């Protein structure tokens, strides 16, 4: 159906109807509005966040601030959890007479639980920060800004949201690709989505970063996330250039930006 509509209209149906809708709106506005439209706070913010020169640096700065926030806020809680379970392990070792049972309780139960629960604070604050960015209205702007780059590299602008969800879990990230209309763009996004560093990898990054990088753990984790994004983009570009099924430009990205909140 979409292919037939494309043939009849001579362009992407989504683009055609969007242009028609906004053309109709632009004809009506002068008849119902008098004077010049005043600039709102959203307009002023969009002039900065959507700027083609500073939009990407601001986007990267937001992600850096998100990871910095995640580590700085969660570190005391992670240390508290680690201290608590270490203390419980020491207490159980001193109370239980049987050496093997004491080792099982101290190292197996309390050590295992502590090793897992210590990663809950950074995961919680990471998703808390993402929810703040989403509720503020910035994530939609981020998708719009990144679309300029993604389009040149062979990915659809709508791929940004599934890939962003992939930071939480790749499975819902793959499921979110259903919003991409064109099949080639959708499958390409599915193929590169697993390269996004999901939350299950965050404990590994934290462990490696804390053990190897020490005070630079946040920078190391941020770098690993960025490397995942770069690799995903490179693979998408490779698929787009070498596999006939994916050849051609991605379909246009149309997005209505929500108000800031």
């Amino acid at each position: 159906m979409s292919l037939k509509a494309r043939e009849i209209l001579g362009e992407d149906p989504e683009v055609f109807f969007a242009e028609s809708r906004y053309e109709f709106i632009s004809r009506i506005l002068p008849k119902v509005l008098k004077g010049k439209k005043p600039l709102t706070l959203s307009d002023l913010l969009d002039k900065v966040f959507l700027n083609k020169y500073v939009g990407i640096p601001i986007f990267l700065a937001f992600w850096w601030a998100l990871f910095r926030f995640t580590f700085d806020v969660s570190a005391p809680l992670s240390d508290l959890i680690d201290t608590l379970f270490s203390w419980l392990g020491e207490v159980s070792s001193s109370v239980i007479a049987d050496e093997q049972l004491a080792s099982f309780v101290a190292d197996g139960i309390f050590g295992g639980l502590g090793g897992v629960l210590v990663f809950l604070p950074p995961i919680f604050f990471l998703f808390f920060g993402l929810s703040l960015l989403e509720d503020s209205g910035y994530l939609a702007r981020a998708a719009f800004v990144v679309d300029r780059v993604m389009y040149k590299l062979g990915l659809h602008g709508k791929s940004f949201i599934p890939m962003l969800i992939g930071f939480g879990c790749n499975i819902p990230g793959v499921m979110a690709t259903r919003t991409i209309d064109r099949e080639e763009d959708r499958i390409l996004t599915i193929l590169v989505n697993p390269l996004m560093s999901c939350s299950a990898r965050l404990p590994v990054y934290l462990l490696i970063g804390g053990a190897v990088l020490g005070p630079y753990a946040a920078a190391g984790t941020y770098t690993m996330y960025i490397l995942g994004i770069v690799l995903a983009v490179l693979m998408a570009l490779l698929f787009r250039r070498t596999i006939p099924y994916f050849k051609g430009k991605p379909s246009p990205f149309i997005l209505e930006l929500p108000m800031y909140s």
Side-chain angles (χ1 to χ4, degrees):
M1 183 67 180
S2 60
L3 291 177
K4 189 174 182 180
R6 188 189 297 268
E7 293 176 0
I8 295 174
L9 299 174
E11 60 179 325
D12 190 281
E14 189 176 359
V15 175
F16 174 81
F17 288 115
E19 289 179 347
S20 301
R21 181 167 64 250
Y22 285 106
E23 183 181 352
F24 178 73
I25 293 172
S26 63
R27 289 201 307 267
I28 292 179
L29 282 178
K31 299 178 182 179
V32 297
L33 291 179
K34 302 298 181 182
K36 191 176 181 181
K37 178 188 174 184
L39 284 176
T40 63
L41 179 60
S42 291
D43 295 330
L44 295 175
L45 291 175
D46 283 343
K47 285 182 178 293
V48 178
F49 292 147
L50 302 182
N51 186 279
K52 64 179 180 179
Y53 298 111
V54 301
I56 294 294
I58 290 176
F59 167 74
L60 295 175
F62 266 113
W63 285 116
W64 167 254
L66 175 62
F67 284 109
R68 190 75 260 178
F69 164 78
T70 299
F71 278 90
D72 290 347
V73 177
S74 65
L77 292 175
S78 296
D79 293 340
L80 180 63
I81 293 173
D82 184 52
T83 303
L84 173 63
F85 279 91
S86 296
W87 176 77
L88 290 174
E90 293 175 0
V91 171
S92 62
S93 297
S94 61
V95 171
I96 301 174
D98 186 271
E99 184 177 344
Q100 291 185 343
L101 181 59
S103 176
F104 171 74
V105 174
D107 301 328
I109 297 178
F110 290 124
L113 283 174
V116 173
L117 294 179
V118 75
F119 297 112
L120 285 182
I123 293 174
F124 170 80
F125 285 108
L126 175 63
F127 283 97
F128 176 72
L130 283 174
S131 66
L132 289 180
L133 289 177
E134 182 178 9
D135 292 340
S136 69
Y138 177 73
L139 275 189
R141 272 81 182 175
F144 181 81
V145 169
V146 175
D147 175 62
R148 297 191 186 105
V149 177
M150 298 183 76
Y151 186 83
K152 293 179 181 179
L153 297 176
L155 281 170
H156 191 274
K158 285 185 179 179
S159 301
F160 172 76
I161 301 300
M163 293 174 74
L164 181 64
I165 295 174
F167 284 117
C169 181
N170 295 128
I171 295 175
V174 169
M175 294 174 63
T177 59
R178 66 184 183 275
T179 60
I180 303 175
D181 300 320
R182 192 161 170 256
E183 182 179 321
E184 294 89 335
D185 298 331
R186 184 166 60 252
I187 294 177
L188 182 59
T189 306
I190 291 173
L191 289 175
V192 301
N193 190 279
L195 295 172
M196 296 294 101
S197 298
C198 67
S199 59
R201 302 175 204 176
L202 182 59
V204 180
Y205 293 166
L206 292 173
L207 181 63
I208 296 174
V212 178
L213 301 176
Y216 303 103
T221 303
Y222 178 76
T223 302
M224 285 186 274
Y225 272 80
I226 293 297
L227 286 176
I229 297 172
V230 171
L231 183 59
V233 170
L234 290 177
M235 292 304 297
L237 188 60
L238 178 65
F239 290 152
R240 184 73 74 178
R241 297 280 180 87
T242 59
I243 300 177
Y245 179 75
F246 295 121
K247 285 188 176 180
K249 293 183 178 180
S251 56
F253 178 43
I254 299 174
L255 176 68
E256 292 190 9
L257 300 178
M259 296 293 292
Y260 289 99
S261 59

